Amino acid sequence: MSACLRKLPIRTAYNLSVVTPRRLNCVHTIRTPSCQGAAHRRCRRLLLNARVCVSTSLRVPVRWKSSSDDKDISSIIQPIPVKPCADPDGINVGEELTGTLKKGDLLKLLNQFYRRPEIKRLAAENGLDDKLFHQAYVNFRRYCMESDRLPVDLHVVLSDILQEAGHVDDIFPYFVRHARVMFPHLDCMDDLRKISDLRHPANWYPEARAFQRKIIYHSGPTNSGKTYHALERFLSAKSGVYCGPLRLLANEVFNKSNTAGTPCDLVTGEERQYVNPENEPSGHVACTVEMTSVTTPYEVAVIDEIQMMRDKQRGWAWTRALLGVCAYEVHVCGEGSCIDLVKELALVTGDEFEVRKYKRLTPLKVLNEAIGSFDRIKPGDCIVCFGKNDIYHVSRQLERRGVEVAVIYGTLPPGTKIAQAQKFNDPDNTCKVLVATDAIGMGLNLNIKRIVFYSVVKPTINEKGEKEIDVIPPSTALQIGGRAGRYGTKHEEGEVTTFKSNDLPLMRKLLSTPIDPVEQAGIHPTAEQIELFAYHLPKATLSNLIDIFVTLSELDNEKYFMCHIDDFKFLADMIEHVPLQLRVRYVFCCAPIMRKQPFICTMFLKYARQCSRGEPVTLDWLCRQLGWPFTPPQVINDLVHLENVFDVLDLYMWLSYRFIDLFPDVNHVRDMQTELDELIQVGVYNITRLLRNSETAISTGTLDSEDDFEVRRRSQKAEQTHDDDFDDTDDVAEVKSRKHSLSAEFKNARRSQAMGGSKVSSGGHRLADQLVKQGLLTRDMLERLRDELTEEGNEKGQGTGGNNKNPGYIRRK
């Protein structure tokens, strides 16, 4: 065989017999310049006589079965561009066989190919709509024009067409081959559709389907005893699981069960507590609904707040618990609005269904008059706000009138919420007024006489990510208003009113409006389904896999809806550049964090980077990142930052139960949370003083910049020089000593604060810096303004004896 053929790789020779859409089984004639001699002609005859079948990548693709209801995924598919080929060894077999391709003629040929209606029709039949076809063609043209060496079969076909020995349509199989590399979904669309078929989620839980279950629906309003009756059956059973919406509720059932003599474990995303000293599971477990086991058999299961199946974010967890829990009796508790949907799902699963209805145990009265003024606030009142700014404003106004308040809002740690609730409930405590957000709607037992809605509108985020102000739904009004009047307390008769007179008619209407029935339950793609998608689309990002899955998914729209995945995708995009295995990446993206807080997101990213390197997130690494220890907060920004730090520690605990080896210092982090919770309780107890300090320091608002944290952290580290010489190479004895000193320093700082010796945090320049950044002030104007304020402060200080200690503005050198 000639030297030319010996240079030709065998796998390349197999591609020379090409099937085209116009002429099936037609073998292209290879034209070579006559000057190449007999050896080349013999090589050509050998290649042509082989008549090898076309390679798999060049077969005519099976046409898509398209229909009018097919979903358009072209807008979310991310192409994988094919880069032009380089020629490292200088051997271009196609050029040796057929000669050099003139770039100008080749460009005209490719443009002619693109303009042909028949090609666009064939492309559409093979899954390439106009958008994908254009993207594939642009990359294919660039590949052909810029490659130093084209594949031999493509080079031969292009040469034949340019020499009028072929038709322009003969390019199509090679174009499709190129498009399939760019868009891998074209080869596996049927498989992807099967994986994303979510029309029968009940079939995902074969263990539960093996049980002959009985679903008992405890229906009733707030304070009707529905959960009490379900828990009575839970406590009397040989084994049981309680699935609650909040850690507080799971912890309450955990304590109640063990107090009643029924050994019960606690399982939440961030915590595990076993009654058995050897950490062996008990027959009963109280857990948050996301942690419900769908493989462990129980005699009784209790699913609380079942109407949360309609929740756009977490509804999938209630649906999963209802369809998948393995129990002979499943007691669900909630509003009557969900009865029909649960009954319908029971028919699908083949479970027996029963409804038990309850009435409110205590009367609830809507007052005829609004409060109108803070002077009319009475003991036993709870003022409900829908935002932290309103919480701060109301607390400050009441403090000015000498009214001591307890404060509860969603971002507070559980321990602080319980402490504030106990402070309000204690009949011997001087605090008789509560200021809270809708966080009191579930999870806390409060002795409230009157609910006062400070507002009836709540800021929400729509599907486009835009902030909107909308009236609260009737279910929210009833859930919160129903907290007034508690059975067995001195405030058995509850009252509901509003702060503003204009809101009272609307509140009456909300409380009298029947709650819309829950028609759909939320579902969410599982890790296994996403892994199967990744197997077929190995180069797609996790965020893009989720997009494709949701777009292709088929649901029974009469019963189910797809929960929002914006938070999941946000976290997926954040750590996309971090090298992690898909399952690890998926778990990280399921972490319950607030994506609106830059500091929390930054620590989340640092956790992911540590894990990607296989380096454990130790206590000492964590302390250096956080700037531990902290002093009691002096302004609201400090309090908000401490809450964020607590959430970062919560995230550590959450990850520690999924990656045990990489997050080893669980016990020490839990101790840090306990100490931090005490600091936050001090701040909430003195929240009105923090507000006054914030106004003085021009530091109102929330911490919204990573730079602010970095400045504070570096300042603290400068004051704690003994931290600087500690690194990961210290031995075990030093590590233990360091852990002990952290706790001692924290306690000393707290004692110093109690004696009034802690230093006020600086940081009053944020507003000024923002004005400069926005162009409303120049640096020179800012310096003059500071000088004037300083002179005014000095004059005032001299007028009052010259003892002016107000720090005012610090001039930057």
Side-chain angles (χ1 to χ4, degrees):
M1 186 176 291
S2 68
C4 175
L5 187 56
R6 285 196 295 270
K7 292 182 181 179
L8 179 63
I10 294 177
R11 63 178 181 272
T12 307
Y14 283 122
N15 287 331
L16 289 180
S17 179
V18 179
V19 179
T20 69
R22 190 172 61 87
R23 300 190 302 274
L24 296 181
N25 296 325
C26 174
V27 180
H28 288 291
T29 302
I30 303 177
R31 292 196 167 213
T32 59
S34 57
C35 62
Q36 291 189 341
H40 287 278
R41 288 194 293 272
R42 181 175 174 230
C43 169
R44 182 183 61 210
R45 286 196 302 271
L46 288 172
L47 291 175
L48 293 180
N49 291 336
R51 301 186 64 85
V52 182
C53 293
V54 65
S55 67
T56 303
S57 63
L58 282 180
R59 71 184 185 275
V60 177
V62 178
R63 294 185 179 182
W64 268 19
K65 295 180 181 179
S66 59
S67 61
S68 58
D69 60 347
D70 275 346
K71 298 178 181 178
D72 177 21
I73 65 170
S74 61
S75 59
I76 59 172
I77 288 292
Q78 296 179 357
I80 303 172
V82 182
K83 297 181 179 180
C85 295
D87 190 10
D89 54 6
I91 301 175
N92 192 334
V93 177
E95 185 174 321
E96 290 185 10
L97 290 173
T98 63
T100 303
L101 299 176
K102 295 182 179 179
K103 297 298 182 180
D105 295 339
L106 179 59
L107 180 60
K108 293 179 181 179
L109 176 64
L110 294 176
N111 288 338
Q112 180 186 355
F113 169 81
Y114 175 73
R115 289 192 296 266
R116 285 184 59 76
E118 294 83 356
I119 294 298
K120 293 185 178 180
R121 178 178 55 79
L122 285 172
E125 292 176 354
N126 286 275
L128 293 169
D129 63 10
D130 290 343
K131 182 175 181 179
L132 298 184
F133 174 71
H134 178 73
Q135 288 179 307
Y137 167 72
V138 170
N139 189 260
F140 179 70
R141 182 181 61 188
R142 179 184 176 189
Y143 175 81
C144 293
M145 297 297 295
E146 298 181 6
S147 292
D148 295 334
R149 179 183 60 186
L150 291 174
V152 178
D153 50 359
L154 176 59
H155 189 106
V156 170
V157 169
L158 293 175
S159 177
D160 281 353
I161 299 173
L162 290 174
Q163 298 182 52
E164 299 182 355
H167 193 276
V168 67
D169 290 351
D170 296 343
I171 301 175
F172 183 77
Y174 304 91
F175 170 74
V176 171
R177 178 178 66 182
H178 187 94
R180 285 180 172 178
V181 177
M182 289 186 63
F183 304 108
H185 72 282
L186 297 176
D187 269 334
C188 54
M189 184 58 66
D190 290 339
D191 292 333
L192 296 180
R193 291 187 183 279
K194 290 178 181 178
I195 297 169
S196 57
D197 187 349
L198 309 181
R199 289 174 293 179
H200 307 288
N203 296 338
W204 301 349
Y205 312 103
E207 294 88 350
R209 300 291 74 79
F211 277 66
Q212 184 56 51
R213 306 190 310 174
K214 180 179 181 180
I215 299 178
I216 303 171
Y217 196 115
H218 299 265
S219 171
T222 305
N223 200 15
S224 61
K226 56 184 183 297
T227 306
Y228 170 82
H229 288 89
L231 288 176
E232 286 296 302
R233 181 66 185 97
F234 168 81
L235 296 174
S236 64
K238 294 180 180 180
S239 62
V241 58
Y242 169 82
C243 315
L246 299 172
R247 279 189 286 172
L248 288 175
L249 280 173
N251 192 75
E252 180 182 343
V253 173
F254 165 75
N255 293 326
K256 180 178 181 179
S257 181
N258 288 296
T259 302
T262 302
C264 180
D265 299 331
L266 176 67
V267 177
T268 68
E270 300 81 9
E271 187 176 8
R272 308 286 191 278
Q273 290 190 37
Y274 297 97
V275 177
N276 191 307
E278 298 178 358
N279 289 341
E280 293 183 1
S282 302
H284 290 70
V285 59
C287 65
T288 47
V289 67
E290 285 86 354
M291 301 304 297
T292 304
S293 171
V294 293
T295 57
T296 306
Y298 300 101
E299 181 182 350
V300 170
V302 177
I303 306 176
D304 208 357
E305 305 293 348
I306 189 63
Q307 72 276 358
M308 290 289 288
M309 284 197 301
R310 68 184 169 206
D311 188 80
K312 300 297 184 182
Q313 304 290 340
R314 300 175 63 200
W316 63 269
W318 275 265
T319 306
R320 173 179 174 272
L322 178 64
L323 297 177
V325 68
C326 301
Y328 293 100
E329 291 184 20
V330 182
H331 295 255
V332 296
C333 310
E335 304 168 355
S337 60
C338 208
I339 292 177
D340 292 340
L341 178 59
V342 174
K343 183 178 180 180
E344 201 170 340
L345 296 180
L347 290 174
V348 174
T349 57
D351 298 324
E352 186 180 349
F353 184 73
E354 177 185 339
V355 178
R356 299 177 185 176
K357 295 186 178 181
Y358 303 84
K359 294 183 179 180
R360 184 177 170 86
L361 299 174
T362 60
L364 183 65
K365 179 182 179 182
V366 182
L367 301 182
N368 296 322
E369 187 178 4
I371 297 299
S373 172
F374 291 106
D375 297 325
R376 300 178 63 185
I377 295 296
K378 300 184 298 185
D381 282 353
C382 173
I383 306 176
V384 178
C385 308
F386 294 104
K388 275 190 178 180
N389 289 333
D390 287 344
I391 288 278
Y392 299 152
H393 174 71
V394 171
S395 301
R396 186 71 190 277
Q397 292 298 323
L398 292 175
E399 184 267 344
R400 288 175 178 173
R401 290 162 174 79
V403 179
E404 185 179 355
V405 299
V407 178
I408 297 176
Y409 49 86
T411 57
L412 288 177
T416 303
K417 291 178 183 176
I418 293 175
Q420 291 293 300
Q422 292 174 344
K423 174 184 175 182
F424 174 74
N425 289 337
D426 187 358
D428 299 326
N429 197 296
T430 56
C431 175
K432 302 298 180 185
V433 176
L434 176 65
V435 181
T437 62
D438 51 352
I440 66 166
M442 60 181 72
L444 291 171
N445 294 322
L446 300 165
N447 301 332
I448 300 172
K449 170 65 175 177
R450 181 173 62 176
I451 290 286
V452 179
F453 284 88
Y454 187 70
S455 173
V456 294
V457 296
K458 181 180 180 179
T460 58
I461 305 297
N462 62 19
E463 296 181 354
K464 298 180 180 180
E466 300 168 341
K467 190 172 183 180
E468 295 180 344
I469 303 297
D470 200 3
V471 176
I472 60 175
S475 58
T476 300
L478 287 168
Q479 183 80 21
I480 298 174
R483 308 294 291 180
R486 182 169 179 80
Y487 181 75
T489 67
K490 65 177 182 179
H491 300 310
E492 288 199 351
E493 182 176 348
E495 299 174 346
V496 179
T497 188
T498 60
F499 186 83
K500 303 172 185 176
S501 300
N502 295 338
D503 291 338
L504 188 56
L506 181 55
M507 179 54 61
R508 284 181 172 278
K509 183 177 180 180
L510 290 173
L511 295 176
S512 61
T513 301
I515 300 177
D516 293 334
V518 180
E519 298 179 349
Q520 295 175 309
I523 56 177
H524 190 278
T526 65
E528 292 77 12
Q529 291 167 334
I530 299 303
E531 281 185 328
L532 286 174
F533 253 54
Y535 173 79
H536 289 88
L537 305 174
K539 295 186 179 181
T541 65
L542 178 56
S543 178
N544 193 228
L545 285 174
I546 291 290
D547 278 336
I548 298 172
F549 185 96
V550 172
T551 303
L552 292 179
S553 61
E554 293 289 339
L555 282 73
D556 181 354
N557 293 324
E558 293 184 358
K559 298 184 182 70
Y560 304 103
F561 70 90
M562 183 68 72
C563 286
H564 289 173
I565 54 174
D566 294 342
D567 290 346
F568 186 97
K569 288 177 53 182
F570 176 84
L571 298 181
D573 290 335
M574 185 188 303
I575 62 174
E576 182 55 42
H577 64 286
V578 181
L580 294 170
Q581 295 180 357
L582 179 67
R583 177 59 71 102
V584 175
R585 190 183 304 276
Y586 183 93
V587 172
F588 261 86
C589 295
C590 291
I593 69 173
M594 297 179 62
R595 66 173 183 170
K596 296 180 182 180
Q597 298 296 340
F599 171 56
I600 300 175
C601 292
T602 299
M603 289 302 301
F604 170 80
L605 181 57
K606 291 180 179 179
Y607 283 161
R609 286 173 177 163
Q610 282 287 102
C611 290
S612 71
R613 294 190 291 262
E615 299 176 2
V617 183
T618 62
L619 172 70
D620 308 293
W621 179 92
L622 187 60
C623 289
R624 289 197 301 272
Q625 299 298 321
L626 298 178
W628 187 272
F630 294 97
T631 58
Q634 300 300 315
V635 293
I636 287 296
N637 270 5
D638 295 337
L639 178 61
V640 172
H641 182 58
L642 292 182
E643 294 169 5
N644 290 343
V645 173
F646 190 93
D647 288 340
V648 169
L649 299 181
D650 247 359
L651 177 60
Y652 184 101
M653 299 298 293
W654 191 88
L655 291 169
S656 69
Y657 291 107
R658 286 130 180 107
F659 310 103
I660 300 175
D661 296 336
L662 294 175
F663 295 84
D665 292 328
V666 175
N667 293 330
H668 293 290
V669 171
R670 186 178 289 113
D671 292 339
M672 291 173 66
Q673 282 190 301
T674 302
E675 296 176 353
L676 191 60
D677 200 342
E678 294 179 10
L679 273 184
I680 294 174
Q681 289 183 40
V682 172
V684 175
Y685 181 81
N686 299 311
I687 192 167
T688 52
R689 180 173 63 82
L690 302 188
L691 289 168
R692 290 197 303 269
N693 292 346
S694 297
E695 292 174 0
T696 302
I698 317 179
S699 187
T700 56
T702 58
L703 188 70
D704 57 1
S705 172
E706 178 64 15
D707 294 336
D708 295 330
F709 160 71
E710 193 65 18
V711 169
R712 182 178 287 105
R713 186 178 70 83
R714 292 182 181 179
S715 176
Q716 290 179 345
K717 290 187 69 175
E719 296 175 1
Q720 301 159 2
T721 55
H722 56 276
D723 287 350
D724 296 338
D725 57 0
F726 187 85
D727 56 39
D728 292 335
T729 61
D730 292 329
D731 57 23
V732 176
E734 288 181 296
V735 170
K736 293 182 178 179
S737 175
R738 173 70 174 131
K739 292 174 180 176
H740 175 75
S741 65
L742 286 173
S743 178
E745 290 174 16
F746 169 79
K747 294 176 181 177
N748 291 335
R750 201 164 61 223
R751 284 196 296 270
S752 174
Q753 168 63 14
M755 299 173 61
S758 67
K759 187 169 66 173
V760 177
S761 299
S762 64
H765 301 296
R766 290 185 59 246
L767 177 59
D769 291 343
Q770 290 178 6
L771 293 176
V772 172
K773 187 176 180 179
Q774 296 172 6
L776 301 177
L777 286 176
T778 64
R779 286 291 177 186
D780 292 337
M781 294 170 61
L782 181 59
E783 294 295 338
R784 290 198 299 271
L785 179 60
R786 288 172 177 165
D787 292 339
E788 292 174 5
L789 291 173
T790 302
E791 293 175 1
E792 292 178 4
N794 292 336
E795 292 175 0
K796 291 181 180 180
Q798 294 173 0
T800 56
N803 189 25
N804 179 22
K805 296 184 179 182
N806 183 2
Y809 290 91
I810 301 175
R811 181 163 184 167
R812 300 179 183 177
K813 300 295 184 182

